[in-house]
Amino acid sequence: MSTFLSNTGSTVVGTLVGFGLALGGDRLFAARRRAHERVRSLQAVADRIFHARALRELPADPAKGLRVLAQTEEDDRDRCAQSVLETRDLIQKVIGQLTPTDPAQRGLIEMHAACLQYLTSETEQPAAYVKHLQELRRELDHGQQKLHAVNPDLVIREPGSAVRVTPH
């Protein structure tokens, strides 16, 4: 009888240890998966900013103040606004995926606010949309640097610079 109790006791202990190891491994796997998803989400924002043609570096707009936009400029302004809306929406989506205490939140929230500021400014001063795009570009680049400081694994490239990349 004592051999039976001894064997049963070691079986129970072994089962509990196995259960604990399995639970710990599952939690570790889940944490790694969350960290990987976080990096993928942040990288998606950085890639969107890299590919946004509207954010490419432009020469300073020589026009000062308000002026009447030619139809092609109006079309370009509309395309730029659409690009900024898509960028803002992606940033908002990633903000929602992260925990409120995630260190990346601050940079993302500032980037989101910069997109909103651009959309407001270009509506109020449509002829100055290029100037406002340049300001947005600087703000998004600054936000990307904050994301990179939080996660050095991110590949951060100059906003809008994908238009300069030539295929090999």
Side-chain angles (χ1 to χ4, degrees):
M1 183 72 163
S2 70
T3 304
F4 174 74
L5 288 175
S6 175
N7 288 341
T8 304
S10 63
T11 303
V12 170
V13 169
T15 301
L16 289 174
V17 168
F19 178 73
L21 289 174
L23 183 61
D26 189 46
R27 285 187 178 170
L28 181 63
F29 178 74
R32 281 187 181 164
R33 189 179 72 242
R34 281 191 306 274
H36 179 71
E37 287 299 317
R38 176 182 177 271
V39 170
R40 279 188 36 203
S41 294
L42 293 174
Q43 189 63 57
V45 170
D47 290 346
R48 171 70 187 125
I49 292 169
F50 169 67
H51 287 286
R53 185 176 172 273
L55 298 174
R56 69 194 182 282
E57 189 170 12
L58 298 171
D61 187 11
K64 300 285 185 195
L66 296 176
R67 60 184 166 81
V68 177
L69 296 176
Q71 184 57 43
T72 56
E73 287 180 291
E74 188 66 36
D75 292 344
D76 184 56
R77 187 176 72 87
D78 290 343
R79 282 190 299 274
C80 289
Q82 184 60 41
S83 178
V84 173
L85 284 167
E86 290 170 12
T87 302
R88 180 209 58 191
D89 290 348
L90 178 59
I91 292 168
Q92 181 64 47
K93 178 181 174 187
V94 173
I95 287 171
Q97 292 172 349
L98 302 178
T99 63
T101 58
D102 191 301
Q105 284 280 12
R106 181 178 178 153
L108 289 169
I109 289 169
E110 289 175 6
M111 294 164 76
H112 187 266
C115 290
L116 293 176
Q117 180 60 49
Y118 168 79
L119 294 167
T120 300
S121 297
E122 72 88 22
T123 301
E124 293 172 352
Q125 300 172 327
Y129 80 100
V130 172
K131 179 185 93 157
H132 298 305
L133 276 173
Q134 291 170 335
E135 292 167 3
L136 174 61
R137 183 178 189 278
R138 280 190 301 276
E139 290 298 317
L140 291 177
D141 191 42
H142 183 68
Q144 286 191 120
Q145 297 311 315
K146 285 185 176 185
L147 295 181
H148 189 261
V150 169
N151 192 329
D153 294 335
L154 294 177
V155 177
I156 302 297
R157 297 162 288 198
E158 186 179 352
S161 64
V163 297
R164 294 194 318 249
V165 175
T166 56
H168 295 287

